[in-house]
């Protein structure tokens, strides 16, 4: 009974949540209560799912994976709560405006509502499932969700956020919850057996939060009279940089583009069905031309038009990018040449090794982690703004290549698919390959989230340290020297985890003097750093989820406290 209630992953997640709750100031206790109720609801729901023989038929998750509901439900709310703790310190030092904290608070309640809504949906789906078991766990989960919803509504109704009427705030947050439920069903239906519930939880909650931010930006421009000018203007005009707008427009434009592409290709296939046999010979070429033309129109016309609508660019946004790069040509162009050389040499070398060597694929994948360290670490120290833009460009390229691979666009679709399959593992599938996305976003998200107020100089390095150094050393040492396993069924070893934790601490001891020499004020205490490294290292040892997605967010959240 005790083993079914607590496993290693749940213990680590609960330790993570308790650390955040212990660090909350009195002004955020209400937020901590909501997170506690969400953790209770998701943990008991996870117990019900993991003790059942099958998941509900609507949820076609990755075969053999644990549900990961607790981990997926609490990661983003915990992250935003940690950012609120950090922002409260900045506000007390008069380095932040109250509107920025209000907007971050609105994002926290929107994310909590998204998690609460999905947990409620999953609990109701589990009750209707033929393999329904542990009824007490589902009932307790439903009760916790109910009280968490009451706390959310009470907070939104009683606090002032961006000058919005309480009814508008509650409706806004409710729309996030509804969108999250719809999106997770669409995600698991479109890409069956590609992710666990927890991984789908994190992806959908993040996308909904990101789209909500875009929608609020657009609404502010279209219906400015609905908002208090003092509050909204201070938040949206002072804290938004051109780089963040460009990244947001590119990413969301490419995420929405497949909807238009599907419609375009359906019309094209219908027209070919009535055409002559000679015309059908050019089917692949026609699909490629349509793809190139439509993608170019989206990226050159539609997306930049939105960017210019919400932000005042002097000319076309891509011309702004060019001028930004050329503003320091010796440093930034040299960095680009350095990146291209590393990518070309490393990719060709590792691809040949993967075809001709007996080295295990997991170790080949860790070489890319080391490559990420060599690429991103120098840029983050000396050119952080340029690295922000480079991450956005890389993510846009990855999304474009994945669209080409999934849709089989001639002539690159098949070669890209063959190349990517050389580095996949059991967590990838033929439909969707996510490992490269998780590595890139794992390194980029802590940097992007530190673009505003940040009094923890190590926080932007959370992804590079935890994935590029800690995860890599844990895998290599554990594979070669590991003897003591954390569990009977798992492959992670105590030796590997110890090596990962030690390597991250050693890297921090070298990085801190370098940051001090560049003018950073060091405020990170070694005890909090040791706690953050240990908890994220234990999560890597115990979790069965996609660790590239969760470990950097855990590490970043604990560093912000």
């Amino acid at each position: 009974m005790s083993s079914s209630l607590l496993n290693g992953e749940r213990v680590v997640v609960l330790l993570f949540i308790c650390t955040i709750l212990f660090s909350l100031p009195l002004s955020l206790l209400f937020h901590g209560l909501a997170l506690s109720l969400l953790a209770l609801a998701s943990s008991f729901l996870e117990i019900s799912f993991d003790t059942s023989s099958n998941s509900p038929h609507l949820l076609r998750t990755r075969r053999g994976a644990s549900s990961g509901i607790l981990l997926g439900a609490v990661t983003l709310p915990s992250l935003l709560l940690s950012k609120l703790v950090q922002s409260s310190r900045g506000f007390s030092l008069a380095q932040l405006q109250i509107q920025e904290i209000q907007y971050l608070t609105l994002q926290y309640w929107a994310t909590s509502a998204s998690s609460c809504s999905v947990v409620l949906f999953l609990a109701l789906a589990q009750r209707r499932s033929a393999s329904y078991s542990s009824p007490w766990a589902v009932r307790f989960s439903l009760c916790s969700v109910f009280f968490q919803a009451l706390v959310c509504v009470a907070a939104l109704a009683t606090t002032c956020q961006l000058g919005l009427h309480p009814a508008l705030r509650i409706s806004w947050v409710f729309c996030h919850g509804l969108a999250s439920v719809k999106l997770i069903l669409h995600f698991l239906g479109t890409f069956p057996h590609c992710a666990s519930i927890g991984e789908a939880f994190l992806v959908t909650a993040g996308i909904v939060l990101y789209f909500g931010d875009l929608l609020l930006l657009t609404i502010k421009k279209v219906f400015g009279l609905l908002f208090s000018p003092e509050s909204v203007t201070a938040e949206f005009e002072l804290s938004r940089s051109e780089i963040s707008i460009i990244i947001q427009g590119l990413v969301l434009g490419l995420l929405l583009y497949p909807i238009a592409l599907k419609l375009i290709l359906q019309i094209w296939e219908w027209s070919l069905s009535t055409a002559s046999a000679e015309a059908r010979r050019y089917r692949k070429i026609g699909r490629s031309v349509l793809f190139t033309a439509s993608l170019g129109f989206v990226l050159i016309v539609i997306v930049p038009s939105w960017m210019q609508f919400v932000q005042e660019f002097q000319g076309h946004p891509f011309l702004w990018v060019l001028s930004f790069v050329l503003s320091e040509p010796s440093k930034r162009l040299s960095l680009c040449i350095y990146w291209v050389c590393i990518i070309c040499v490393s990719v060709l070398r590792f691809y040949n090794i993967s075809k001709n060597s007996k080295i295990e694929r997991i170790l080949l994948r860790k070489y890319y982690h080391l490559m990420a360290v060599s690429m991103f670490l120098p840029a983050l120290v000396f050119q952080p703004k340029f690295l922000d833009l480079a991450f956005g460009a890389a993510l846009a390229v990855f999304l474009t290549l994945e669209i080409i691979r999934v849709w089989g666009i001639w002539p690159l679709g098949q070669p890209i698919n063959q190349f990517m399959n050389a580095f996949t593992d059991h967590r990838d599938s033929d439909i969707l390959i996510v490992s490269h996305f998780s590595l890139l976003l794992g390194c980029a998200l802590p940097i992007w989230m530190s673009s505003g107020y940040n009094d923890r100089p190590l926080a932007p390095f959370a992804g590079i340290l935890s994935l590029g150094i800690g995860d890599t050393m844990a895998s290599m040492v554990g594979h070669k020297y590991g003897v003591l396993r954390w569990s009977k069924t798992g492959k992670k070893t105590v030796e590997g985890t110890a090596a990962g934790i030690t390597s991250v601490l050693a890297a921090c001891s070298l990085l801190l003097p370098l940051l001090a020499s560049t003018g950073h004020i060091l405020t990170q205490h070694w005890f909090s750093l040791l706690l953050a490294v240990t908890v994220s290292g234990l999560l890597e040892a115990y979790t069965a989820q996609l660790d590239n997605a969760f470990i950097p967010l855990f590490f970043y959240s604990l560093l912000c406290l």
Side-chain angles (χ1 to χ4, degrees):
M1 180 64 178
S2 61
S3 63
S4 64
L5 288 176
L6 289 177
N7 57 25
E9 182 180 296
R10 291 187 200 122
V11 171
V12 174
V13 175
L14 293 177
L15 175 62
F16 168 72
I17 294 172
C18 290
T19 304
I20 293 176
L21 296 178
F22 182 76
S23 304
L24 295 181
L26 292 176
S27 59
L28 296 177
L29 290 182
F30 213 45
H31 304 67
L33 176 60
L35 180 62
S36 303
L37 291 170
L38 177 62
L40 286 174
S42 55
S43 59
F44 281 98
L45 182 61
E46 181 181 284
I47 291 170
S48 177
F49 266 78
D50 290 346
T51 54
S52 301
S53 57
N54 292 300
S55 299
H57 68 280
L58 292 173
L59 307 173
R60 293 181 287 176
T61 57
R62 188 173 69 240
R63 296 183 178 93
S66 60
S67 64
I69 294 174
L70 173 62
L71 184 60
V74 303
T75 297
L76 278 185
S78 300
L79 172 63
L80 291 174
L81 190 54
S82 297
K83 288 292 293 180
L84 278 171
V85 173
Q86 186 182 51
S87 298
S88 64
R89 293 197 301 268
F91 180 70
S92 64
L93 297 173
Q95 296 182 3
L96 274 181
Q97 297 179 351
I98 187 62
Q99 293 83 9
E100 298 182 53
I101 296 180
Q102 288 177 351
Y103 182 67
L104 191 58
T105 301
L106 185 64
Q107 285 187 310
Y108 170 76
W109 290 117
T111 307
S112 296
S114 297
S115 299
C116 179
S117 301
V118 175
V119 168
L120 176 61
F121 168 78
L122 293 175
L124 295 177
Q126 180 72 346
R127 288 191 67 178
R128 298 190 185 99
S129 175
S131 59
Y132 176 50
S133 62
S134 304
W136 60 272
V138 176
R139 293 193 195 104
F140 196 90
S141 178
L142 289 171
C143 291
S144 300
V145 166
F146 173 75
F147 286 113
Q148 200 263 355
L150 288 181
V151 170
C152 181
V153 171
L156 291 169
T158 56
T159 58
C160 177
Q161 290 160 359
L162 298 180
L164 293 172
H165 189 274
L168 285 177
R169 293 198 296 265
I170 295 173
S171 300
W172 180 257
V173 167
F174 173 78
C175 289
H176 277 75
L178 183 61
S180 295
V181 174
K182 293 288 187 181
L183 186 59
I184 197 170
L185 283 175
H186 176 74
F187 180 82
L188 293 175
T190 306
F191 306 106
H193 313 299
C194 289
S196 67
I197 297 176
E199 293 161 1
F201 221 129
L202 181 66
V203 170
T204 54
I207 290 176
V208 168
L209 185 67
Y210 210 44
F211 267 93
D213 183 70
L214 176 146
L215 185 60
L216 200 59
L217 273 171
T218 308
I219 290 175
K220 184 260 174 181
K221 286 290 185 179
V222 177
F223 302 107
L225 296 177
L226 293 178
F227 302 93
S228 171
E230 314 76 51
S231 59
V232 177
T233 302
E235 163 60 21
F236 286 88
E237 292 186 1
L238 294 180
S239 65
R240 298 302 176 95
S241 66
E242 290 86 352
I243 292 177
S244 65
I245 294 296
I246 289 172
I247 294 173
Q248 192 169 26
L250 276 177
V251 172
L252 296 180
L254 287 170
L255 288 175
L256 291 173
Y257 170 68
I259 301 175
L261 179 62
K262 181 179 180 181
L263 179 61
I264 292 171
L265 292 182
Q266 284 178 343
I267 296 174
W268 171 253
E269 296 292 342
W270 174 81
S271 65
L272 282 183
S273 64
T274 59
S276 62
E278 184 176 353
R280 286 195 290 271
R281 295 177 185 174
Y282 302 98
R283 178 179 176 180
K284 290 184 178 180
I285 299 177
R287 282 168 56 94
S288 179
V289 170
L290 283 174
F291 168 78
T292 304
S294 59
L295 182 62
F297 182 75
V298 168
L299 295 183
I300 298 175
V301 179
I302 296 180
V303 169
S305 298
W306 176 83
M307 295 176 187
Q308 290 176 310
F309 178 71
V310 299
Q311 184 89 8
E312 293 184 2
F313 284 89
Q314 299 299 325
H316 197 279
F318 293 158
L319 294 179
W320 183 93
V321 171
L322 184 61
S323 64
F324 174 77
V325 174
L326 296 179
S327 61
E328 296 184 23
S330 59
K331 296 180 181 179
R332 292 170 180 170
L333 291 179
S334 300
L335 197 57
C336 290
I337 296 172
Y338 169 68
W339 286 340
V340 170
C341 292
I342 288 182
I343 291 172
C344 292
V345 172
S346 302
V347 168
L348 292 176
R349 175 62 177 165
F350 296 157
Y351 184 60
N352 291 330
I353 291 176
S354 69
K355 293 191 300 182
N356 304 319
S357 175
K358 295 182 180 180
I359 298 177
E360 287 197 20
R361 189 165 293 185
I362 186 173
L363 297 181
L364 287 174
R365 290 158 60 91
K366 299 308 174 185
Y367 292 144
Y368 279 101
H369 289 218
L370 294 176
M371 185 182 76
V373 175
S374 63
M375 291 177 61
F376 304 147
L377 191 59
L380 183 54
V381 174
F382 300 107
Q383 285 287 326
K385 290 185 179 180
F386 183 60
L387 183 60
D388 286 350
L389 185 63
F391 273 132
L395 183 57
V397 171
F398 279 6
L399 286 171
T400 303
L401 293 178
E402 187 66 8
I403 293 172
I404 293 174
R405 188 192 70 83
V406 170
W407 290 90
I409 302 298
W410 179 86
L412 297 177
Q414 188 62 27
I416 292 174
N417 187 54
Q418 292 176 352
F419 177 81
M420 295 303 301
N421 283 328
F423 301 98
T424 57
D425 64 3
H426 64 281
R427 291 171 294 191
D428 294 305
S429 69
D430 293 334
I431 303 177
L432 192 66
I433 298 177
V434 297
S435 297
H436 55 304
F437 285 105
S438 63
L439 176 59
L440 179 69
L441 288 174
C443 294
L445 285 176
I447 299 173
W448 287 342
M449 290 183 294
S450 302
S451 59
Y453 173 77
N454 177 44
D455 60 347
R456 297 290 186 260
L458 283 178
F461 296 86
I464 298 173
L465 291 173
S466 60
L467 295 182
I469 297 177
D471 187 34
T472 302
M473 291 301 297
S475 296
M476 291 184 172
V477 173
H479 178 77
K480 191 171 184 179
Y481 303 105
V483 176
L484 302 175
R485 300 191 181 277
W486 285 104
S487 63
K488 296 180 180 179
T489 58
K491 296 181 179 180
K492 304 296 178 66
T493 64
V494 176
E495 294 86 351
T497 302
I501 293 173
T502 304
S503 62
V504 173
L505 291 175
C508 291
S509 66
L510 297 175
L511 188 59
L512 286 173
L514 178 61
L515 292 175
S517 66
T518 58
H520 288 85
I521 299 175
L522 302 182
T523 57
Q524 191 78 53
H525 299 289
W526 276 101
F527 175 76
S528 62
L529 176 61
L530 177 62
L531 181 64
V533 174
T534 303
V535 172
S536 57
L538 290 175
L539 179 66
E540 190 275 337
Y542 278 114
T543 186
Q545 309 301 308
L546 189 61
D547 50 6
N548 286 1
F550 291 100
I551 293 174
L553 300 183
F554 266 53
F555 193 27
Y556 178 83
S557 301
L558 293 174
L559 287 177
C560 288
L561 297 178

